Amino acid sequence: MQLTDSHELVLKNVPEFGHQSRSLFQLDPSFVHLNNGSFGVIPHFVEEATQRMAHVGETNPDLFMRTGRFWRSIDASREAIAKYVGADTDTCVFVPNTATGVNTILRSISWSAEDILVRSDICFDTVIRAVESLAQFKTAPRTAMLKLGLPATHATILENFRVQLKQWRAAMPEHAKLVIIIDSIASTPAVLLPWREMVKICKEEGAWSLVDAAHSLGQEKLELKKIDADFFVANCSKWFYAKRGSALMQIPFRHQEMMQPLIPAMVNDGPGHQIHPNKFVTQFYWNGLADWLAYMSIVPALNFRRQIGGDEKINTYCHALAVKGGLRVAEILGTEVLDSPKGDGELVANMANVRLPIDTSIPGPKVFQLFHTETLGTYRTYAVPYMFNGSWWVRACAQVYAEMADFERLGHVLVEVCRKINSTANDSHIVAFP
């Protein structure tokens, strides 16, 4: 890497995607990394660029924080991410993660007992807990579950979604709120849903849409102003290459008045005191001592993505590897991938789901502990195991630093790991993770 006259980092000799690209990331070369979806990966480029920003602030924190440099840095990130996702800048703010964004939105809505809040049957655990936590309030909505019926085609999912939405709407007063939490790319199972069309159906049926897009930023093209969901939250660290602790919360102007941060802003947002003309934006600048460097990593992450080839090149490579790699792992295991009944990769973005041949009579805690012990410790590779539709599955993530050999390695490792787990079917002993 080198610096331009404007102090912008520039990559020299960008390697081809695959194992040659490992050098771009802070990854242990002795480990096969196939779990980008949980924690993301930080390129050296982004780490160095953000540390240079940190140095500017740390040399004189008061000067940095009190003369506008901090706010301008956050604004530069907001402007960059807004342009990237096709949204108005002043509809975009940052929160630490998707769970914080979902909780912020749900707790900002003024609920009545006649309202209905819907989440899907593959909703991520932190979102489930966010929904359940509303029950502690004096006035809370009723809750319902969207049954996706996976595996299914996008067309079938949309047909069933509209039917269920109409049923909920018919069973509630006209003035009551119907709020649907929509997964864009779910976590486990890692499936790409027709979320844009689901948002459109919500509009047609008079429901609000809250899009949990934890995995979308960096995996798919976003045109948020055009899609116009009522609420949208996406992690910047999972697939976008920004530092952990950064997520985009995009709230259209029509809903901003209701929004309140979970921790009240320390900035006085009264007349003459707002940092930004938009009160909503001001409230999400500053709520106490925190490391805001993650938000400042947005611009370097965008710069890195551009220099290694751009979104289309990144996602074309990763999607093809996820589809082919998943099929190869399934072939080695003698099982199957989770996909649309059409078998065309419709449910796959950059993560593959492969069924594991694990005896389902074995207690879940034992499966998890043995799986982690063997994959992380013995075999030095990892992909996420989970239970779905009565079977064990594994989620394997494709990234620019991975290639088919990694998926083949995973497949052979899983053969041995599943064999060892199944051998304990009649053993009550639970192996502890070292």
Side-chain angles (χ1 to χ4, degrees), residues 25-44:
F25 298 90
Q26 303 177 74
L27 293 172
D28 180 350
S30 70
F31 199 97
V32 177
H33 301 268
L34 290 172
N35 186 30
N36 181 89
S38 285
F39 311 113
V41 288
I42 310 299
H44 291 293

Side-chain angles (χ1 to χ4, degrees), residues 140-158:
R142 293 178 289 162
T143 59
M145 184 180 295
L146 168 63
K147 297 179 181 178
L148 293 168
L150 295 173
T153 65
H154 279 187
T156 299
I157 291 171
L158 291 171

Side-chain angles (χ1 to χ4, degrees), residues 102-386:
V102 170
N103 276 277
T104 298
I105 293 163
L106 292 182
R107 293 175 183 233
S108 293
I109 295 173
S110 179
W111 296 102
S112 78
E114 296 174 319
D115 298 334
I116 296 179
L117 174 60
V118 180
R119 58 95 169 173
S120 78
D121 55 5
I122 59 170
C123 192
F124 193 61
D125 185 56
T126 56
V127 177
I128 294 174
R129 293 201 297 271
V131 171
E132 293 174 345
S133 73
L134 295 178
Q136 67 183 289
F137 296 102
K138 185 176 181 180
T139 303
R142 293 178 289 162
T143 59
M145 184 180 295
L146 168 63
K147 297 179 181 178
L148 293 168
L150 295 173
T153 65
H154 279 187
T156 299
I157 291 171
L158 291 171
E159 181 181 351
N160 291 337
F161 177 62
R162 189 184 289 275
V163 169
Q164 292 177 74
L165 200 156
K166 283 181 175 294
Q167 290 174 344
W168 293 315
R169 176 51 77 191
M172 60 194 300
E174 186 176 343
H175 66 271
K177 292 184 289 295
L178 176 58
V179 181
I180 317 292
I181 301 176
I182 299 172
D183 304 278
S184 58
I185 303 174
S187 179
T188 48
V191 292
L192 173 64
L193 295 172
W195 63 277
R196 294 168 179 80
E197 293 83 359
M198 294 169 79
V199 169
K200 183 178 180 182
I201 291 172
C202 285
K203 289 181 177 298
E204 294 170 353
E205 301 297 335
W208 283 355
S209 55
L210 193 173
V211 180
D212 174 3
H215 289 273
S216 282
L217 198 63
Q219 275 203 80
E220 55 179 339
K221 183 176 177 61
L222 301 171
E223 298 175 295
L224 298 190
K225 192 171 184 178
K226 179 179 179 181
I227 297 167
D228 196 30
D230 290 285
F231 312 94
F232 180 93
V233 189
N235 279 316
C236 302
S237 57
K238 287 183 180 290
W239 296 90
F240 185 69
Y241 304 138
K243 289 178 69 66
R244 281 178 285 279
S246 58
L248 167 67
M249 185 169 74
Q250 194 265 341
I251 308 294
F253 293 113
R254 64 181 179 274
H255 291 313
Q256 289 185 3
E257 189 62 31
M258 74 172 72
M259 297 303 299
Q260 295 289 333
L262 294 180
I263 301 175
M266 294 182 67
V267 175
N268 187 332
D269 58 12
H273 295 282
Q274 287 183 202
I275 294 170
H276 192 280
N278 183 313
K279 179 181 176 180
F280 164 69
V281 172
T282 295
Q283 290 183 109
F284 287 90
Y285 270 125
W286 176 254
N287 59 8
L289 288 176
D291 187 356
W292 295 87
L293 198 59
Y295 302 163
M296 298 179 194
S297 72
I298 298 297
V299 173
L302 275 167
N303 192 15
F304 175 78
R305 297 181 69 82
R306 175 179 60 80
Q307 292 192 49
I308 66 172
D311 278 31
E312 184 175 354
K313 179 180 178 182
I314 293 168
N315 287 314
T316 296
Y317 178 86
C318 292
H319 173 71
L321 180 58
V323 171
K324 295 176 182 177
L327 290 171
R328 179 64 180 131
V329 173
E331 180 183 27
I332 292 170
L333 288 170
T335 59
E336 62 186 331
V337 296
L338 178 63
D339 194 9
S340 162
K342 295 187 298 183
D344 58 358
E346 187 178 43
L347 299 181
V348 181
N350 298 345
M351 297 182 280
N353 305 276
V354 183
R355 186 169 60 80
L356 294 171
I358 293 177
D359 185 341
T360 56
S361 70
I362 302 172
K366 181 192 288 187
V367 172
F368 280 118
Q369 290 182 356
L370 272 171
F371 189 96
H372 291 158
T373 299
E374 292 300 311
T375 56
L376 291 170
T378 304
Y379 294 105
R380 305 285 292 164
T381 186
Y382 190 72
V384 172
Y386 62 94

